[in-house]
Amino acid sequence: MEFGTALEKFREVGRLSNAYSHALGVLSFDSETIAPKNSVDGRAKTYEVFSEVMYKLTVNEEYFDVIDTLEKNADKLDEITAREVELASRSLSQIRKIPMEEYVEYQSTLAHAQNAWVEAKKTDDFELFAPHLERIIAFHKRVASLVSPEMDPYDYWLDEYEKGLDMKTLDAFFEKVRASLVPLIKRVAEKGDIIRTDFMQRSCPIEVQRRFSDYIMQVMHINRDDCAIAETEHPFTTEFNKHDVRITTHYHENSVVSNMYSVIHEGGHALYELNIGDELTGTALANGTSMSVHESQSRFYENIIGRSEPFIELIFPKIKEFFPEQFKDVCAHEFYLAVNKAQPSLIRTEADELTYALHIMVRYELEKRMMHGEVKVSELPSEWNRLYKEYLGVDVPSNSEGVLQDVHWSGGMIGYFPSYALGSAYGAQIVEVIKKELDFEALIRENRINEITAWLTEKIYKYGRLLRPCDAVKQATGQDFDPQYFIDYLTGKYTEIYGL
Amino acid sequence: MEFGTALEKFREVGRLSNAYSHALGVLSFDSETIAPKNSVDGRAKTYEVFSEVMYKLTVNEEYFDVIDTLEKNADKLDEITAREVELASRSLSQIRKIPMEEYVEYQSTLAHAQNAWVEAKKTDDFELFAPHLERIIAFHKRVASLVSPEMDPYDYWLDEYEKGLDMKTLDAFFEKVRASLVPLIKRVAEKGDIIRTDFMQRSCPIEVQRRFSDYIMQVMHINRDDCAIAETEHPFTTEFNKHDVRITTHYHENSVVSNMYSVIHEGGHALYELNIGDELTGTALANGTSMSVHESQSRFYENIIGRSEPFIELIFPKIKEFFPEQFKDVCAHEFYLAVNKAQPSLIRTEADELTYALHIMVRYELEKRMMHGEVKVSELPSEWNRLYKEYLGVDVPSNSEGVLQDVHWSGGMIGYFPSYALGSAYGAQIVEVIKKELDFEALIRENRINEITAWLTEKIYKYGRLLRPCDAVKQATGQDFDPQYFIDYLTGKYTEIYGL
């Protein structure tokens, strides 16, 4: 094939792919936000058609030739196209090994799994979700065996979410984190219940919380003409391009803080996407580069900014305006302490920074064992509860607050969870450099978070997928990733808070 | 082509079309409900790709052959497939005459027009919308001239919305309606301001109105697992299949009635779609058969049921529960009179039944003249205001409350408005028959509206597009359409209300 023809066909496939991905993304967002329950069958049919069309779009001799021609002429490609071709080639080498029928059937499985999970969580009935999860796990094993039979199936999926990541790296990372944090958590626990939290569960009308979310997005300098907010069972962020990003949250009448940190976390994901470079628009690189890097940003805003004292000082007067009765006897410092109280708990998304990694370790452990056939789906609830007792010392009262709490498995995300822990650790390393270059605390206190975002944009955001995930920390900090920063960050923060 | 091959290919095109239509429908619904403002360019690109793919799906030699083969073998087709082929053939004979580039460009025009209209209405700036409307009108003229150069271009589009409808029929219909209603409106006006409406603008919190909408949908026996409600600038109904219907409404703090009748009106559209026969699922017939028939149903629920005294008696105790302060000094009969007060006004969707047709006549007149080049888009606001003064006697204070009030033109619906007036008239004829067969008023009073819906399902809904629009009134009533029923209905109702 001529180089020019190949490039043209590559662009055309990209244009079509963008449209299908956009439509599938909106269908999925719609299904989680507003679509009525019984819409699931119609949607599954459309997923099937689209996944079939998308499969055929790249799995054909002509497109193989396109990729081949472009790879052979890599020296003629500009930097952006070269990276697009690299990613397309990797993706093609995987998808072409999966029979179309299995690929298409799986999309339908996902449509039904999502509905089933919502229903299962609502009714606290794991059985409703179990057969769907079994199909999802089976598909993940199958794909790994088809695409990379030489790899461990869980390593295969870890590598999918973060190129180069494997169990060996993660085991070492979690071991190091655990070795440092468990004694720290113990020391904190020995200090006893010294942080006041009586005001944390006071009832705050959801209508007012909705307006409060708008305020929080404003503090984050999120342009609402480019970013919408909606409500879902489980908060998430989705994006179609840098001018169409959506975050979601979940309101709990009795926990204004739950929504607040969901909005800040998802807002962090959004800021990454909203600041992708314009030159990447329409290309396959116009997204955050990996889940770990993405989570490093969402958890950076949520914790390193959002749970800092300057941030609480900035927003607390507004909190008192929105909820005057609820917080009339509370000062900013008390609120700061309360949102940082370290206490082993049930729900990952509401966990404090110190114990958060333990929630991830439970999931990592279970995913690993499911992918290795060492734990059956039917045993999952009891294993979940056992590990929560062992790692966090808490009793799980129901599957809704246990194994069903997270959306990820129902969306087919096996291997995603470690991103959260890694991301948290990346953020701790990155903030050290920011603090050298900017007056970090002052910027937050003065409502100039956008200047921190601008720094991150220059180092990470604007590059989209042009930046390789493994290079992100290095590019931002000038050093290789080192989990010691994370341990030092948490040790410092909790030593101060608890006067250890 | 073999008959069997043709049938198989026809089914496959149908399956793909369904998926694309579904995706386009969800993209459009999303754009009106939640998508951020700047999402428009990305969406326009996806519209372009999809309209191109859909165009190519049917405009090709093979598909011409498919349709040709099926038409020649019509005797071998079952009733449903035969009607699908008939509709597909008609649609193909039109679309193949439009060059693909123009067809695709128009989809992008529509994406931008919708955004521009929302912005224009918000800021009361007709100029923002004018160039888009010009493009839409030009496209409509162009399509009419390409597809049916022998037809009047406005007749062409009337016929599109309701097979067989033309200006001649409509002129006669509106003339007859006007001749009877104008004197009736005059007699009502002479009675003076005898209906109490002081309570109609009292502030009702939107949060409570949202819960009130849920109640109204419950009274209509709408299954919420099949039907969602959302909020938009202009209320509408959209459906993807009988298990995925969405209605929208718009809340005004100072008018609980505005939302209430939006929900009932759109709920009427929804009930039609929700009761399409199961055997039509997945076929091209699984929709309401025409806009007039659709509007006959929405306006049937809105007015003939919703503005009846039994209905107000049924719901008024609940209204007092939701809004105890606002209606503490009001009784059901006063509320009934207030929602039926005849008063020439500005906003079509909030007009009473008596003056409603005059709002349609203004739009009909203007569409006709735009399509004939007798009114330029730039002259539209002044012509609108002039006709409102002439027909309704009201001064239009702003374009937002005037020419920009309706969503239709921005969505490319030229020729749609007459459906509302025709639909109202159909309903008046249909209810006469219902009253002979059912105890209409008792069913409403006893919260058994579902039994009226069941009657309409048997006569109309379950047939979907298998029923020809021109046959709907006949099939439901055993008689040809006769506008005299509508005139008698309004005369009777308003004679009683105003004691004429």
Side-chain angles (χ1 to χ4, degrees):
Chain A
M1 191 180 283
E2 288 282 317
F3 169 72
T5 312
L7 192 57
E8 204 175 289
K9 285 185 188 290
F10 182 71
R11 289 268 165 261
E12 179 58 10
V13 167
R15 191 175 78 95
L16 296 173
S17 285
N18 278 351
Y20 291 120
S21 304
H22 183 194
L24 283 170
V26 171
L27 278 161
S28 167
F29 177 79
D30 175 84
S31 77
E32 303 209 46
T33 49
I34 178 90
K37 188 178 151 197
N38 294 340
S39 64
V40 60
D41 289 336
R43 189 165 47 253
K45 284 207 185 75
T46 297
Y47 280 6
E48 276 173 28
V49 169
F50 278 26
S51 49
E52 199 181 302
V53 171
M54 286 179 83
Y55 185 96
K56 288 178 181 165
L57 195 60
T58 61
V59 184
N60 61 70
E61 290 304 324
E62 187 187 75
Y63 191 69
F64 299 163
D65 198 4
V66 164
I67 294 295
D68 203 42
T69 305
L70 295 178
E71 285 187 319
K72 280 184 187 139
N73 291 277
D75 54 323
K76 294 188 199 157
L77 300 172
D78 62 77
E79 190 191 10
I80 291 174
T81 313
R83 175 78 172 144
E84 283 187 278
V85 171
E86 180 191 336
L87 291 168
S89 172
R90 194 166 84 200
S91 161
L92 182 60
S93 71
Q94 296 169 334
I95 193 177
R96 64 189 288 186
K97 291 183 188 147
I98 309 169
M100 189 175 81
E101 298 63 36
E102 294 184 40
Y103 179 81
V104 169
E105 195 196 334
Y106 180 62
Q107 306 310 314
S108 169
T109 297
L110 286 185
H112 288 97
Q114 188 222 329
N115 245 39
W117 169 74
V118 170
E119 207 53 27
K121 185 173 175 184
K122 251 186 213 148
T123 58
D124 190 31
D125 183 355
F126 182 73
E127 296 302 313
L128 285 181
F129 179 52
H132 299 274
L133 183 55
E134 264 162 20
R135 281 195 281 276
I136 287 168
I137 296 288
F139 181 80
H140 278 74
K141 286 185 192 168
R142 169 87 176 142
V143 167
S145 75
L146 286 170
V147 178
S148 291
E150 74 291 356
M151 275 177 92
D152 176 279
Y154 192 45
D155 272 346
Y156 172 82
W157 284 102
L158 290 172
D159 184 77
E160 268 302 282
Y161 282 111
E162 181 91 1
K163 196 75 208 145
L165 188 65
D166 58 16
M167 289 182 291
K168 198 175 152 213
T169 314
L170 277 175
D171 285 340
F173 168 72
F174 281 127
E175 196 35 55
K176 182 167 174 119
V177 169
R178 174 146 56 173
S180 308
L181 295 194
V182 169
L184 184 57
I185 292 170
K186 200 163 164 244
R187 284 167 64 209
V188 164
E190 283 162 5
K191 292 291 279 191
D193 205 2
I194 60 172
I195 290 178
R196 184 190 160 201
T197 55
D198 58 295
F199 50 83
M200 291 288 271
Q201 306 295 318
R202 289 181 186 162
S203 173
C204 297
I206 286 172
E207 199 42 37
V208 185
Q209 289 198 48
R210 288 198 182 102
R211 292 201 302 274
F212 180 58
S213 298
D214 292 333
Y215 163 70
I216 291 291
M217 289 174 79
Q218 193 186 312
V219 167
M220 296 179 81
H221 291 77
I222 291 172
N223 180 355
R224 296 298 291 276
D225 284 346
D226 293 326
C227 183
I229 181 167
E231 294 169 37
T232 52
E233 182 60 34
H234 197 293
F236 65 88
T237 300
T238 195
E239 68 288 325
F240 308 120
N241 58 66
K242 66 178 289 187
H243 297 293
D244 191 354
V245 178
R246 289 96 185 276
I247 69 170
T248 76
T249 186
H250 190 96
Y251 292 101
H252 301 271
E253 179 110 21
N254 288 312
S255 175
V256 71
V257 167
S258 168
N259 163 60
M260 173 174 142
Y261 283 110
S262 286
V263 172
I264 304 176
H265 178 95
E266 303 307 333
H269 282 303
L271 283 171
Y272 190 171
E273 295 291 335
L274 292 165
N275 287 294
I276 301 276
D278 284 331
E279 67 281 10
L280 300 180
T281 297
T283 74
L285 309 185
N287 284 108
T289 190
S290 79
M291 286 307 131
S292 299
V293 179
H294 238 302
E295 292 301 338
S296 77
Q297 298 312 301
S298 54
R299 292 192 54 79
F300 183 89
Y301 285 94
E302 177 190 352
N303 294 319
I304 298 181
I305 293 180
R307 284 190 166 89
S308 71
E309 190 145 24
F311 186 77
I312 300 302
E313 284 167 5
L314 169 68
I315 67 166
F316 198 68
K318 273 283 178 187
I319 293 183
K320 285 196 136 184
E321 257 180 66
F322 279 106
F323 311 102
E325 275 308 304
Q326 292 86 340
F327 295 103
K328 64 179 173 190
D329 58 341
V330 185
C331 71
H333 186 66
E334 285 173 316
F335 194 82
Y336 163 69
L337 292 176
V339 300
N340 282 295
K341 179 172 183 170
Q343 189 164 41
S345 64
L346 281 170
I347 307 295
R348 177 185 61 82
T349 56
E350 293 170 21
D352 59 89
E353 284 179 87
L354 189 56
T355 59
Y356 185 87
L358 300 175
H359 291 261
I360 299 303
M361 288 181 213
V362 170
R363 288 151 179 82
Y364 170 63
E365 189 67 32
L366 291 173
E367 284 187 346
K368 201 195 307 189
R369 290 167 59 196
M370 279 196 290
M371 288 298 289
H372 294 161
E374 297 160 11
V375 148
K376 285 187 215 142
V377 166
S378 60
E379 299 162 344
L380 205 52
S382 60
E383 278 304 284
W384 179 283
N385 298 353
R386 194 180 62 73
L387 287 175
Y388 258 77
K389 188 72 184 175
E390 183 184 327
Y391 288 14
L392 286 128
V394 298
D395 292 306
V396 179
S398 72
N399 288 331
S400 292
E401 293 161 283
V403 67
L404 289 170
Q405 70 180 264
D406 290 310
V407 70
H408 304 66
W409 291 340
S410 75
M413 289 187 263
I414 310 288
Y416 186 109
F417 282 118
S419 320
Y420 290 106
L422 274 183
S424 303
Y426 293 172
Q429 184 165 347
I430 291 169
V431 74
E432 279 307 301
V433 182
I434 296 182
K435 283 181 176 171
K436 280 181 198 144
E437 299 187 15
L438 302 176
D439 192 347
F440 185 70
E441 301 208 338
L443 289 178
I444 296 172
R445 203 173 276 113
E446 292 165 13
N447 198 10
R448 292 159 62 196
I449 291 170
N450 53 321
E451 296 179 37
I452 300 169
T453 306
W455 189 95
L456 291 162
T457 297
E458 281 308 305
K459 297 289 185 181
I460 298 176
Y461 301 170
K462 70 176 186 183
Y463 298 100
R465 299 183 75 194
L466 204 51
L467 176 67
R468 278 153 219 277
C470 54
D471 294 338
V473 172
K474 182 93 184 231
Q475 178 163 310
T477 68
Q479 293 188 315
D480 284 330
F481 169 56
D482 179 354
Q484 190 58 44
Y485 283 98
F486 181 48
I487 292 161
D488 291 346
Y489 163 77
L490 287 179
T491 307
K493 180 165 182 174
Y494 279 91
T495 300
E496 190 190 320
I497 287 176
Y498 279 88
L500 301 177
Chain B
M1 191 181 283
E2 288 284 317
F3 169 71
T5 313
L7 193 56
E8 204 175 287
K9 286 186 188 290
F10 182 71
R11 290 267 165 263
E12 178 59 9
V13 167
R15 191 176 78 95
L16 296 174
S17 287
N18 279 351
Y20 292 119
S21 305
H22 183 195
L24 283 171
V26 171
L27 279 162
S28 166
F29 177 78
D30 174 84
S31 76
E32 304 209 46
T33 49
I34 178 91
K37 189 180 148 196
N38 294 341
S39 65
V40 60
D41 289 335
R43 189 164 48 253
K45 283 207 185 76
T46 297
Y47 280 6
E48 276 174 27
V49 169
F50 278 26
S51 48
E52 197 181 304
V53 171
M54 287 180 84
Y55 186 96
K56 289 178 181 166
L57 195 60
T58 61
V59 184
N60 62 71
E61 290 302 326
E62 186 187 75
Y63 192 69
F64 299 162
D65 197 6
V66 164
I67 294 294
D68 202 43
T69 305
L70 295 178
E71 284 187 320
K72 280 184 187 140
N73 291 277
D75 55 322
K76 293 188 199 156
L77 300 172
D78 62 77
E79 191 191 9
I80 290 174
T81 313
R83 175 76 173 145
E84 283 187 278
V85 170
E86 181 193 335
L87 291 168
S89 172
R90 195 168 82 200
S91 160
L92 182 60
S93 71
Q94 297 168 333
I95 192 176
R96 62 189 288 186
K97 290 183 188 147
I98 309 169
M100 188 175 83
E101 297 65 35
E102 294 183 40
Y103 179 81
V104 169
E105 196 196 333
Y106 180 63
Q107 307 309 314
S108 168
T109 297
L110 286 185
H112 289 97
Q114 187 222 328
N115 245 39
W117 169 75
V118 170
E119 205 54 26
K121 186 173 174 181
K122 251 186 215 149
T123 56
D124 191 30
D125 183 355
F126 182 73
E127 296 302 313
L128 284 181
F129 179 52
H132 300 275
L133 183 55
E134 264 162 21
R135 281 195 280 276
I136 288 168
I137 295 289
F139 181 80
H140 278 75
K141 285 186 193 169
R142 169 89 176 142
V143 167
S145 75
L146 287 170
V147 178
S148 291
E150 73 293 354
M151 275 177 91
D152 176 279
Y154 192 44
D155 272 348
Y156 171 82
W157 285 101
L158 291 173
D159 185 78
E160 268 303 282
Y161 282 111
E162 181 91 359
K163 194 76 208 145
L165 188 65
D166 59 16
M167 289 182 292
K168 199 176 149 210
T169 314
L170 278 174
D171 285 340
F173 168 72
F174 281 127
E175 196 35 53
K176 185 169 170 114
V177 169
R178 173 145 57 171
S180 308
L181 294 194
V182 168
L184 184 56
I185 292 170
K186 200 163 163 245
R187 283 168 64 210
V188 164
E190 282 161 6
K191 291 291 277 189
D193 205 4
I194 60 173
I195 291 179
R196 181 188 162 202
T197 54
D198 58 295
F199 50 83
M200 291 287 270
Q201 306 296 316
R202 289 180 186 163
S203 173
C204 296
I206 286 171
E207 200 41 36
V208 185
Q209 289 198 48
R210 288 198 182 103
R211 292 201 302 275
F212 181 58
S213 298
D214 292 334
Y215 163 71
I216 291 292
M217 289 174 80
Q218 192 185 314
V219 168
M220 295 179 81
H221 291 76
I222 291 172
N223 180 355
R224 296 297 292 273
D225 284 346
D226 293 326
C227 184
I229 182 167
E231 294 168 38
T232 52
E233 181 61 33
H234 197 292
F236 65 89
T237 301
T238 194
E239 67 288 326
F240 309 120
N241 58 67
K242 68 178 288 186
H243 297 294
D244 191 355
V245 179
R246 290 97 184 274
I247 69 170
T248 76
T249 186
H250 190 97
Y251 293 101
H252 301 271
E253 178 110 22
N254 289 311
S255 175
V256 72
V257 168
S258 167
N259 164 60
M260 172 175 145
Y261 283 111
S262 287
V263 171
I264 303 175
H265 178 95
E266 304 306 334
H269 283 302
L271 283 170
Y272 190 170
E273 296 292 335
L274 293 164
N275 287 293
I276 302 277
D278 284 332
E279 67 282 10
L280 300 181
T281 297
T283 74
L285 310 184
N287 284 106
T289 190
S290 77
M291 287 307 130
S292 299
V293 179
H294 237 302
E295 291 301 337
S296 77
Q297 298 312 302
S298 53
R299 294 194 50 82
F300 183 90
Y301 286 92
E302 178 190 352
N303 294 318
I304 298 179
I305 292 180
R307 284 190 164 89
S308 72
E309 190 144 23
F311 185 77
I312 300 301
E313 284 167 6
L314 169 67
I315 67 166
F316 198 70
K318 274 282 178 187
I319 293 183
K320 285 196 135 183
E321 258 180 67
F322 280 106
F323 310 103
E325 274 308 305
Q326 291 86 339
F327 295 102
K328 66 179 172 190
D329 58 341
V330 185
C331 72
H333 187 66
E334 285 173 314
F335 193 80
Y336 163 69
L337 292 176
V339 301
N340 282 295
K341 179 171 182 170
Q343 190 166 39
S345 63
L346 281 172
I347 307 294
R348 176 185 62 82
T349 56
E350 292 170 22
D352 60 88
E353 284 180 86
L354 189 56
T355 60
Y356 184 88
L358 300 176
H359 291 262
I360 299 303
M361 287 181 215
V362 170
R363 289 152 177 80
Y364 171 62
E365 190 66 32
L366 291 174
E367 284 188 345
K368 202 197 304 189
R369 290 166 59 196
M370 280 196 290
M371 288 297 288
H372 293 162
E374 296 160 12
V375 145
K376 285 187 214 139
V377 166
S378 60
E379 299 161 345
L380 206 53
S382 60
E383 278 304 283
W384 179 284
N385 298 354
R386 195 180 61 74
L387 288 175
Y388 259 76
K389 187 71 183 176
E390 184 183 326
Y391 288 15
L392 286 128
V394 297
D395 292 307
V396 178
S398 72
N399 288 330
S400 292
E401 292 161 282
V403 66
L404 288 170
Q405 70 180 262
D406 290 309
V407 70
H408 303 66
W409 292 339
S410 76
M413 289 186 261
I414 309 289
Y416 186 109
F417 282 116
S419 319
Y420 290 105
L422 274 182
S424 303
Y426 293 171
Q429 183 165 348
I430 291 168
V431 74
E432 279 306 301
V433 182
I434 296 183
K435 281 180 176 171
K436 281 180 196 144
E437 300 187 15
L438 302 175
D439 193 346
F440 185 71
E441 301 208 339
L443 289 178
I444 296 172
R445 202 174 275 115
E446 293 164 14
N447 198 9
R448 291 159 62 197
I449 291 170
N450 54 320
E451 295 180 37
I452 299 169
T453 306
W455 190 96
L456 290 162
T457 297
E458 281 309 305
K459 298 289 184 180
I460 298 177
Y461 301 170
K462 71 176 186 184
Y463 298 100
R465 300 184 74 193
L466 205 50
L467 176 67
R468 278 153 220 276
C470 53
D471 295 339
V473 172
K474 182 94 183 229
Q475 179 164 307
T477 68
Q479 293 187 315
D480 286 329
F481 169 56
D482 180 353
Q484 190 58 46
Y485 284 98
F486 181 48
I487 292 161
D488 291 347
Y489 162 77
L490 287 179
T491 307
K493 179 164 183 175
Y494 279 91
T495 300
E496 192 189 318
I497 288 176
Y498 280 88
L500 301 179

